[in-house]
Amino acid sequence: QHALNSGVRRYHVAPVLCQRAKVAMSHFEPNEYINYEKLEKNINIVRKRLDRPLTLSEKIVYGHLDDPAKQEIERGKTYLRLRPDRVAMQDATAQMAMLQFISSGLPKVAVPSTIHCDHLIEAQSGGEKDLQRAKDINQEVYNFLATAGAKYGVGFWKPGSGIIHQIILENYSYPGVMLIGTDSHTPNGGGLGGICIGVGGADAVDVMAGIPWELKCPKVIGVKLTGKLSGWTSPKDVILKVAGILTVKGGTGAIIEYHGPGVDSISCTGMATICNMGAEIGATTSIFPYNERMKKYLGKTGRADIAALADEFKQHLVPDSGCKYDQVIEINLSELKPHINGPFTPDLAHPVSDIGAVAEKEGWPVDIRVGLIGSCTNSSYEDMGRSAAVAKQALAHGLKCKSKFTITPGSEQIRATIERDGYAKILREVGGLVLANACGPCIGQWDRKDIKKGEKNTIVTSYNRNFTGRNDANPETHAFVTSPEIVTALSIAGTLKFNPETDYLTGADGKKFKLEAPDADELPKLEFDPGQDTYQYPPKDGSGQHVDVSPTSQRLQLLEPFDKWDGKDLEDMLILIKVKGKCTTDHISAAGPWLKFRGHLDNISNNLLIGAINIENGKANSVRNALTQEFGPVPDTARYYKKMGVKWAVIGDENYGEGSSREHAALEPRHLGGRVIITKSFARIHETNLKKQGLLPLTFADPADYNKIHPVDKLSIVGLKDFAPGKPLKCIIKHPNGSQETIMLNHTFNESQIEWFQAGSALNRMKELQQKSS
């Protein structure tokens, strides 16, 4: 508000230049400089105020405070107003983010921002063909993003460039940066010592508009690493182990900070893998302290000047001695064994040595149909090298993969380098298919032909998520998450019952042999091969650029403002659905074939909650219409209520909205007339996204009250005229027999977020303040 009332910053003003050196944040933005001196100044102000040692997370977060002298700071309670250094958006979420930015009326982004085309490329027959097919199918969307980027000053990475998080690691993340990205795996950048946080598009618009970004002051969970990685154990096993300890919601509201002597045995890209999958435990983000492995990676990616500057300010890029964590987990890397997690949830952890027996006991298919390596989590040069080292041993004994096998390079730079250095050739020879530099099967962009929907089968991946139907839309696919080298070994054996540490394979000559633990360079001996040039610089002046959105388009749709709160309590709301069990953003707004509608709110709203299980009948996408008493699809029922002018609510279970950052899971219920989402607990990003769109995310003061609400009840939320931070709201439950009961609901709204609700959305509030300041 302060920023807007004093005049929105129309153009980015470069930070005060470092007196010791002018070092650009990125080669692509030579006039945007790293400002460690500002970070240092803010840290010193906060340290003096708090009078205690600071964790690394606190240094970087508090170092980006809008007002470090006056900001109230209390872990897990207060809301911080922050000034991130930059914004990154992937193409599926960038559509809605740029549509919202266009709606704001601002002429140019206030901070360096980029768009990355990685989500809309479907895996089908191989890299080049799939890429060309995607360019043809998505031409309208790519043109919109390219022209919007040019008009508003946003860098544009064309399709084929690679996965957003690998591109960020190679070009944009650096020690001490604060970066927000419209993808839940943005924390990948923590592998280079940055605070990189996944958000919804509306949060990105705030930052691009030059408005301080709000974040609840995170708690800090310390993970102390001792010992040393060796053998078949990989960085992926660290986060698979942590996921088993903390579960999918154990990191909610906290930053996971890795520290201890074991850190130095992990490569920079390995640290990125660990941070990346921290999203699966609900963490705000994850981070490692600056060290020589990061310095080595910066040098190899052409950023030795950043490493030299980081060396000068290193005391601010590591935790203070004696700092306190809210919780500490200790892992001895020397004792850590290879893990495989799943199926259906990324926190169901098993040692690889046990998974065969567990699968047989549980009735999970042990034969592996497909092994898939790559994704934003594990597609580095080292990952590909370790997989190739396993494959090379099999080829030497005349073996190829028994399972189908796919490889996804993380970026054009990785693809070109593994082609040059022979890794891609080895992986093809063992039976692999190299896919496009994109997300592909990891997010459901997989035109899978080897099974029919409903057929029970097992796949193993080096991805991050394995929710029901996530990879191939088949609810009977049992997906397991592990390291790329374990995926490769299991794909060669073709079964979950194979343990590469102890078991033998039979070569083409009939002789038994055991695979040796893979060994590969973490970085190429030569320089990286950059491959094709896939970056579009924004012009210095984009004011004359035209951005075309056809009114008849089925892919893009300009946004209309949501209605303002009418000043009254929400009375007699119907319940659209009472959800039973896990409800991720995949359940609320499915990906896969629906990705093509990410820029068209009305069309994509036809997937609202189609994956959620209705507690009334145990079915997905089948709910009772309270006005007609007929059962039908969730989106159709919501549209009927909207047509009849009836407000509705959703009742959810634990950790509602976990998973991807997709704000469509919040936009869709708002668009179709929803007003309230009541759950036992929320995932962080989804709760914020709901608030941004003018919905009320509320939690049961007593989780047992979830059982008091039935799908046929009506609900009234009372007390909205006195809506205030920390003040619970009343919910009156009206049962069909005429009886009533009252329960209490908690919320985490602060004053500005309450104003979002009252204005109808955060974007509406921004425009109100902008008009006021004008």
Side-chain angles (χ1 to χ4, degrees):
Q1 289 180 19
H2 176 73
L4 284 162
N5 288 333
S6 60
V8 175
R9 291 184 295 164
R10 299 287 180 173
Y11 297 93
H12 180 61
V13 179
V16 178
L17 305 185
C18 290
Q19 294 177 5
R20 303 186 198 184
K22 289 183 179 181
V23 177
M25 284 196 273
S26 168
H27 295 308
F28 297 101
E29 296 138 0
N31 297 317
E32 301 286 354
Y33 300 104
I34 294 174
N35 194 356
Y36 281 148
E37 290 192 339
K38 178 68 177 297
L39 185 76
E40 181 177 59
K41 180 181 177 182
N42 286 2
I43 290 171
N44 289 338
I45 291 171
V46 173
R47 182 184 279 113
K48 186 176 180 180
R49 286 182 55 202
L50 298 182
D51 191 27
R52 61 172 173 79
L54 300 177
T55 67
L56 171 59
S57 309
E58 290 180 305
K59 288 181 179 182
I60 302 177
V61 172
Y62 304 159
H64 285 83
L65 286 169
D66 184 51
D67 186 357
K70 297 179 181 177
Q71 170 71 59
E72 187 179 356
I73 300 171
E74 188 175 356
R75 285 187 196 169
K77 293 188 178 180
T78 58
Y79 278 85
L80 308 178
R81 291 162 62 83
L82 300 162
R83 292 283 185 180
D85 297 301
R86 64 181 310 118
V87 172
M89 299 167 279
Q90 41 93 336
D91 51 354
T93 52
Q95 295 171 65
M96 194 57 66
M98 292 309 296
L99 287 165
Q100 290 179 85
F101 188 81
I102 291 170
S103 182
S104 76
L106 298 173
K108 191 173 183 180
V109 296
V111 300
S113 304
T114 51
I115 294 169
H116 304 259
C117 294
D118 63 357
H119 269 57
L120 301 179
I121 302 169
E122 185 179 47
Q124 192 178 67
S125 55
E128 291 184 12
K129 290 182 180 179
D130 292 347
L131 177 58
Q132 187 55 54
R133 180 168 172 265
K135 288 178 178 178
D136 294 339
I137 293 172
N138 303 307
Q139 181 180 8
E140 179 187 15
V141 171
Y142 291 147
N143 179 63
F144 166 72
L145 293 174
T147 55
K151 184 173 182 64
Y152 297 105
V154 179
F156 180 70
W157 288 86
K158 301 172 187 176
S161 302
I163 304 172
I164 176 174
H165 310 304
Q166 183 68 28
I167 297 289
I168 289 172
L169 199 72
E170 292 172 352
N171 299 283
Y172 297 115
S173 185
Y174 60 84
V177 71
M178 174 172 276
L179 178 153
I180 67 165
T182 59
D183 189 279
S184 56
H185 292 104
T186 301
N188 191 82
L192 253 179
I195 289 290
C196 302
I197 302 176
V199 299
D203 276 355
V205 172
D206 278 357
V207 179
M208 292 191 292
I211 299 172
W213 173 59
E214 289 191 350
L215 175 72
K216 195 170 189 178
C217 187
K219 294 182 178 181
V220 187
I221 297 174
V223 178
K224 183 178 180 181
L225 302 179
T226 60
K228 184 179 180 180
L229 286 177
S230 63
W232 284 93
T233 306
S234 73
K236 185 69 164 279
D237 297 307
V238 176
I239 186 58
L240 294 176
K241 178 71 173 179
V242 171
I245 295 169
L246 288 177
T247 77
V248 290
K249 63 176 184 176
T252 303
I255 293 175
I256 311 298
E257 183 172 311
Y258 294 87
H259 62 283
V263 166
D264 293 334
S265 75
I266 305 173
S267 67
C268 179
T269 52
M271 289 187 266
T273 290
I274 294 167
C275 291
N276 175 293
M277 203 175 150
E280 271 49 74
I281 54 176
T284 301
T285 192
S286 301
I287 190 171
F288 278 82
Y290 177 59
N291 66 2
E292 288 297 314
R293 306 300 279 267
M294 294 183 191
K295 182 176 182 178
K296 186 176 180 181
Y297 183 79
L298 286 168
K300 189 59 85 169
T301 52
R303 294 175 288 170
D305 53 347
I306 293 179
L309 188 64
D311 283 342
E312 293 187 47
F313 288 87
K314 185 173 182 179
Q315 72 271 27
H316 303 304
L317 305 175
V318 296
D320 286 343
S321 176
C323 67
K324 301 296 183 184
Y325 297 100
D326 294 283
Q327 178 183 350
V328 176
I329 297 168
E330 186 164 338
I331 296 175
N332 185 338
L333 300 179
S334 299
E335 297 175 355
L336 183 63
K337 289 294 186 179
H339 273 62
I340 184 167
N341 288 20
F344 307 125
T345 183
D347 60 345
L348 186 56
H350 321 272
V352 171
S353 57
D354 296 347
I355 190 62
V358 173
E360 287 189 322
K361 179 182 177 183
E362 298 292 337
W364 303 332
V366 295
D367 291 337
I368 298 168
R369 298 294 289 269
V370 189
L372 307 99
I373 65 169
S375 90
C376 64
T377 317
N378 278 110
S379 54
S380 68
Y381 184 83
E382 180 183 32
D383 290 328
M384 296 298 161
R386 285 173 68 87
S387 292
V390 175
K392 191 174 182 179
Q393 295 179 60
L395 289 169
H397 289 84
L399 295 187
K400 291 190 175 185
C401 291
K402 288 186 179 179
S403 310
K404 290 182 180 296
F405 186 48
T406 70
I407 302 98
T408 306
S411 67
E412 171 61 9
Q413 179 167 276
I414 295 296
R415 182 207 64 78
T417 306
I418 66 171
E419 289 285 1
R420 180 196 70 192
D421 293 354
Y423 291 165
K425 181 175 183 290
I426 293 169
L427 294 170
R428 287 192 186 97
E429 287 177 350
V430 85
L433 174 66
V434 179
L435 301 174
N437 316 320
C439 300
C442 183
I443 59 161
Q445 286 284 53
W446 185 14
D447 185 20
R448 190 177 181 189
K449 302 292 189 183
D450 64 301
I451 60 160
K452 295 179 181 179
K453 192 168 183 178
E455 183 180 344
K456 197 173 180 180
N457 74 103
T458 283
I459 64 173
V460 292
T461 82
S462 70
Y463 302 164
N464 40 52
R465 292 199 173 125
N466 55 352
F467 302 138
T468 302
R470 172 158 176 107
N471 303 122
D472 61 2
N474 179 12
E476 290 301 323
T477 293
H478 294 57
F480 295 85
V481 177
T482 185
S483 68
E485 52 265 49
I486 293 294
V487 171
T488 307
L490 293 179
S491 299
I492 292 165
T495 175
L496 287 177
K497 297 170 71 174
F498 178 69
N499 176 11
E501 286 192 302
T502 58
D503 295 345
Y504 287 79
L505 294 169
T506 302
D509 58 3
K511 295 180 180 179
K512 293 187 178 295
F513 72 98
K514 195 168 79 167
L515 293 170
E516 297 297 325
D519 184 30
D521 295 330
E522 64 180 277
L523 295 166
K525 289 183 171 63
L526 302 175
E527 297 305 309
F528 276 109
D529 183 338
Q532 300 179 42
D533 182 7
T534 54
Y535 180 71
Q536 173 186 293
Y537 287 86
K540 290 183 179 179
D541 182 7
S543 58
Q545 177 70 52
H546 179 66
V547 181
D548 184 34
V549 178
S550 169
T552 60
S553 172
Q554 294 300 300
R555 300 287 301 270
L556 299 165
Q557 180 186 49
L558 292 173
L559 298 175
E560 295 291 332
F562 289 131
D563 60 304
K564 291 185 65 171
W565 176 54
D566 61 9
K568 301 176 182 178
D569 288 336
L570 296 169
E571 297 184 344
D572 293 333
M573 289 182 295
L574 299 178
I575 296 171
L576 176 67
I577 183 173
K578 181 178 179 181
V579 178
K580 178 183 179 182
K582 184 186 284 285
C583 189
T584 71
T585 49
D586 280 293
H587 294 86
I588 304 168
S589 176
W594 292 96
L595 283 171
K596 60 179 174 285
F597 297 126
R598 284 287 183 87
H600 198 294
L601 180 55
D602 194 57
N603 282 346
I604 199 169
S605 292
N606 288 321
N607 75 1
L608 175 65
L609 285 157
I610 61 175
I613 301 301
N614 179 10
I615 199 169
E616 186 175 6
N617 57 11
K619 296 181 179 179
N621 202 26
S622 175
V623 295
R624 182 193 301 271
N625 184 321
L627 301 181
T628 67
Q629 297 304 310
E630 296 177 353
F631 279 84
V634 182
D636 294 358
T637 307
R639 288 188 185 276
Y640 186 83
Y641 290 163
K642 182 179 180 180
K643 178 182 176 181
M644 302 304 292
V646 176
K647 297 180 176 68
W648 51 263
V650 170
I651 309 301
D653 211 316
E654 293 277 8
N655 207 33
Y656 183 89
E658 71 173 273
S660 298
S661 67
R662 63 192 66 156
E663 66 179 335
H664 297 77
L667 282 158
E668 293 173 32
R670 183 74 165 95
H671 175 64
L672 295 185
R675 304 305 306 209
V676 181
I677 313 292
I678 306 172
T679 72
K680 294 179 182 178
S681 62
F682 286 97
R684 174 190 63 85
I685 299 177
H686 186 59
E687 181 179 18
T688 301
N689 287 346
L690 291 168
K691 293 177 182 178
K692 287 277 185 177
Q693 304 307 334
L695 283 145
L696 282 175
L698 306 173
T699 56
F700 296 103
D702 179 357
D705 287 344
Y706 168 87
N707 299 316
K708 293 181 178 179
I709 298 177
H710 306 286
V712 293
D713 294 337
K714 291 183 178 180
L715 306 177
S716 295
I717 305 299
V718 178
L720 290 176
K721 291 181 180 179
D722 300 317
F723 195 13
K727 186 176 182 180
L729 293 167
K730 289 183 180 179
C731 175
I732 299 174
I733 307 169
K734 298 180 180 179
H735 301 299
N737 63 6
S739 65
Q740 296 184 10
E741 55 185 314
T742 300
I743 62 173
M744 301 304 295
L745 301 174
N746 293 330
H747 65 86
T748 59
F749 281 80
N750 61 22
E751 290 180 359
S752 62
Q753 293 169 352
I754 290 172
E755 290 176 357
W756 300 344
F757 167 73
Q758 293 169 339
S761 71
L763 184 58
N764 287 1
R765 183 58 177 158
M766 180 200 298
K767 292 164 76 173
E768 285 179 358
L769 292 169
Q770 185 183 343
Q771 291 166 2
K772 184 178 178 181
S773 67
S774 298

